[in-house]
């Protein structure tokens, strides 16, 4: 069993600063520090509450306060270690930037300097020793949006892509992406129809007999569904507050069945919230035929889809469907098809190391050059530039 008290004290020696061990509800369980100067200054009573939006127990985080102080977080089973304060004159573009008016630890002479590479390697060493998932520096320093859930999104994308390639998909990516789009659209009926999101037959095969892995997968569900809800219009503070609550619930469960049931309920809760938000702002945008068209497009994302295919699927006239889609969605069917392929390719570029030629072929482009041309037209950057800009090299 992991000795958390010893690990907290040991890390305090390595970093020469405060190490605060928190519960999954952010209660302070232990605080260690061997730095006499910092001990003389003391720990600000409100600092943990001010840092709380970034205290997410799924992956290490870097937090830069007032561009001078540096903090780091390290997940530890159902606890979280908060490391800091530290100083580093470098402005870290991949750290969460936080401005506080009360300026804690303003006397920087008391705060120890730490080299960025040393801190990153320290976080990697401790995380990889205590978790079954192995991180790299790219995972810690990704510039992807919402990087609070980067690790979950990376594992999710890589896993589903590899299974789709091998035709061993106990969790079909297309069903999963339909589920996430159901959350973003606030479409509870479509979510239930695609009930295989993340779990099939109760739980994915690698997790059937391991409660810890089941909880990890459920936390991944929370991360990506939370992101989908934000995309659907839910304020990020509301979404992340719900995320914290759900993660605490997941950690409290003691059976795989209960974890799976809660993961499914979490999808429903976020979807209902998005639905209520959309109904309050614009109650007339939902159209069953348009939703069926979108669902068909998403379920054939690595195949060519034409207006004729949609007309045949819905037994409707092509011109009618084209006009209806444009009126409801504000874009043509062709534009929507292209946007879904580009969005999927962006995920694959960030979260996998697959060659661009392979990604292009996988999502249905005839050549890498044509894919690159379309991608640049849509995003104002090439696939290679996009990958380099959104992953740490």
């Amino acid at each position: 069993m992991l000795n958390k008290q010893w690990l907290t004290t040991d890390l305090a020696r390595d970093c020469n600063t405060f190490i605060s061990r928190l519960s999954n509800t952010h209660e302070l369980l232990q605080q260690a520090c061997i730095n006499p100067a910092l001990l003389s200054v003391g720990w600000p009573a409100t600092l943990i509450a001010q840092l709380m939006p970034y205290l997410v127990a799924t992956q290490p985080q870097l937090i830069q306060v007032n561009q001078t102080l540096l903090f780091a977080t390290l997940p530890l089973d159902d606890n979280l270690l908060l490391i800091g304060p530290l100083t580093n004159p470098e402005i870290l573009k991949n750290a969460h930037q936080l401005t506080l008016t009360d300026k804690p630890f303003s006397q920087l002479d008391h705060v120890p300097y730490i080299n960025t590479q040393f801190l990153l390697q320290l976080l990697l060493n401790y995380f990889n020793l205590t978790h079954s998932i192995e991180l790299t520096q790219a995972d810690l320093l990704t510039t992807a949006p919402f990087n609070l859930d980067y690790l979950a999104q990376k594992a999710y994308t890589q896993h589903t892509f590899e299974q789709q390639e091998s035709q061993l998909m106990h969790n079909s990516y297309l069903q999963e992406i339909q589920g996430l789009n159901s959350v973003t659209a606030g479409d509870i009926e479509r979510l239930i129809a695609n009930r295989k999101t993340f779990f099939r037959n109760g739980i994915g095969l690698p997790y059937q007999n391991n409660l810890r892995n089941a909880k990890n997968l459920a936390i991944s569900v929370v991360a990506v569904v939370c992101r989908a809800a934000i995309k659907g219009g839910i304020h990020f503070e509301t979404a992340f507050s719900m995320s914290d609550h759900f993660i605490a619930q997941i950690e409290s469960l003691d059976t795989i069945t209960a974890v799976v049931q809660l993961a499914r309920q979490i999808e429903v809760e976020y979807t209902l919230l998005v639905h209520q938000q959309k109904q309050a702002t614009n109650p007339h945008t939902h159209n069953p035929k348009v939703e069926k068209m979108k669902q068909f497009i998403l379920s054939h994302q690595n195949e060519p889809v034409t207006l004729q295919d949609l007309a045949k699927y819905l037994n409707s006239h092509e011109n009618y469907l084209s006009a209806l889609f444009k009126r409801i969605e504000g874009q043509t069917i062709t534009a929507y098809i292209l946007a879904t392929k580009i969005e999927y390719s962006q995920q694959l570029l960030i979260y996998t190391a697959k060659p661009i030629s392979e990604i292009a072929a996988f999502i249905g482009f005839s050549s890498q050059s044509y894919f690159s041309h379309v991608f640049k037209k849509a995003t104002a950057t090439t696939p290679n530039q996009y990958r380099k800009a959104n992953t740490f090299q």
Side-chain angles (χ1 to χ4, degrees):
M1 180 177 293
L2 188 63
N3 188 331
K4 299 173 187 175
Q5 288 186 335
W6 177 87
L7 190 60
T8 302
T9 305
D10 186 63
L11 197 54
R13 286 193 291 267
D14 285 340
C15 296
N16 196 31
T17 188
F18 280 106
I19 308 297
S20 306
R21 182 163 63 90
L22 310 175
S23 71
N24 55 19
T25 57
H26 303 137
E27 176 188 358
L28 182 61
L29 302 175
Q30 178 190 358
Q31 196 166 59
C33 182
I34 63 169
N35 185 322
L38 278 180
L39 287 171
S40 67
V41 174
W43 179 267
T46 61
L47 187 55
I48 290 177
Q50 291 170 317
L51 297 175
M52 194 171 293
Y54 309 103
L55 303 183
V56 180
T58 54
Q59 69 177 94
Q61 299 289 315
L62 298 178
I63 309 164
Q64 204 159 24
V65 177
N66 296 337
Q67 297 186 345
T68 53
L69 295 178
L70 185 63
F71 293 84
T73 65
L74 179 68
L76 196 65
D77 288 342
D78 56 348
N79 291 175
L80 184 75
L81 298 184
L82 175 61
I83 305 165
L86 300 160
T87 58
N88 188 306
E90 180 183 358
I91 302 301
L92 304 177
K93 67 175 182 178
N94 300 290
H96 298 291
Q97 298 295 330
L98 179 63
T99 301
L100 299 179
T101 56
D102 51 358
K103 297 183 179 180
F105 302 104
S106 56
Q107 296 179 343
L108 294 181
D109 290 344
H110 296 299
V111 181
Y113 167 83
I114 194 165
N115 177 273
T116 305
Q117 290 301 316
F118 174 80
L119 176 60
L120 292 175
Q121 195 58 52
L122 191 72
L123 292 172
L124 287 174
N125 289 345
Y126 276 94
F127 185 90
N128 292 340
L129 283 172
T130 56
H131 291 76
S132 58
I133 301 173
E134 184 173 346
L135 284 182
T136 66
Q137 284 200 9
D139 299 319
L140 296 184
L141 291 181
T142 173
T143 59
F146 301 102
N147 75 331
L148 290 175
D149 61 27
Y150 174 82
L151 177 60
Q153 184 70 41
K154 177 186 176 183
Y156 157 69
T157 303
Q158 289 178 334
H159 175 63
T160 51
F161 182 87
E162 289 165 4
Q163 287 198 324
Q164 193 167 12
E165 281 187 307
S166 63
Q167 300 300 310
L168 297 175
M169 297 180 65
H170 64 270
N171 288 315
S172 161
Y173 178 83
L174 297 175
Q175 289 167 327
E176 291 174 15
I177 203 68
Q178 286 176 41
L180 291 180
N181 277 276
S182 300
V183 177
T184 299
D187 191 342
I188 189 66
E189 292 180 2
R190 193 166 116 207
L191 176 72
I192 294 173
N194 292 288
R195 204 39 160 155
K196 293 176 181 179
T197 305
F198 295 100
F199 296 93
R200 175 178 283 180
N201 298 326
I203 200 158
L205 295 177
Y207 310 95
Q208 282 181 339
N209 299 308
N210 189 313
L211 179 60
R212 181 65 260 165
N213 283 346
K215 288 183 177 182
N216 290 344
L217 182 61
I219 290 170
S220 295
V221 170
V222 174
V224 292
V225 171
C226 173
R227 181 183 179 196
I230 292 171
K231 187 177 179 181
I234 301 304
H235 194 278
F236 74 92
E237 289 184 354
T238 300
F240 283 131
S241 176
M242 291 174 63
S243 171
D244 290 343
H245 171 71
F246 287 137
I247 289 172
Q249 280 189 298
I250 289 167
E251 294 292 0
S252 71
L253 300 175
D254 55 11
T255 68
I256 291 177
T257 300
V259 171
V260 174
Q261 290 174 344
L262 179 57
R264 290 173 167 172
Q265 183 59 35
I266 288 168
E267 291 179 327
V268 172
E269 292 286 343
Y270 273 114
T271 306
L272 284 173
L273 188 64
V274 175
H275 175 76
Q276 292 166 0
Q277 172 81 7
K278 289 184 180 295
Q279 286 295 304
T281 56
N282 192 347
H284 304 296
T285 57
H286 178 80
N287 182 279
K289 278 190 180 293
V290 170
E291 293 305 314
K292 285 182 179 180
M293 282 191 278
K294 290 164 67 176
Q295 185 172 350
F296 183 90
I297 291 166
L298 290 169
S299 65
H300 296 80
Q301 214 166 232
N302 59 337
E303 304 171 24
V305 175
T306 66
L307 181 57
Q308 291 82 358
D309 295 327
L310 293 169
K312 182 177 179 181
Y313 172 64
L314 292 172
N315 193 27
S316 299
H317 195 277
E318 295 173 19
N319 291 343
Y320 166 72
L321 292 180
S322 180
L324 176 65
F325 194 96
K326 179 68 180 296
R327 177 168 61 84
I328 298 296
E329 294 295 317
Q331 61 180 326
T332 65
I333 292 173
T334 301
Y336 179 80
I337 292 172
L338 184 61
T340 61
K341 288 181 180 292
I342 294 299
E343 182 177 354
Y344 184 18
S345 71
Q346 288 174 316
Q347 293 177 355
L348 296 175
L349 287 166
I350 296 174
Y351 302 115
T352 77
K354 300 296 179 184
I356 294 174
S357 59
E358 190 174 337
I359 292 174
F362 182 73
I363 60 175
F365 282 86
S366 57
S367 68
Q368 180 180 339
S369 60
Y370 179 56
F371 165 67
S372 297
H373 171 75
V374 173
F375 189 95
K376 185 172 183 179
K377 187 175 181 181
T379 66
T381 184
T382 68
N384 192 44
Q385 290 169 339
Y386 182 86
R387 171 174 270 171
K388 287 181 178 179
N390 289 278
T391 54
F392 179 74
Q393 301 297 323

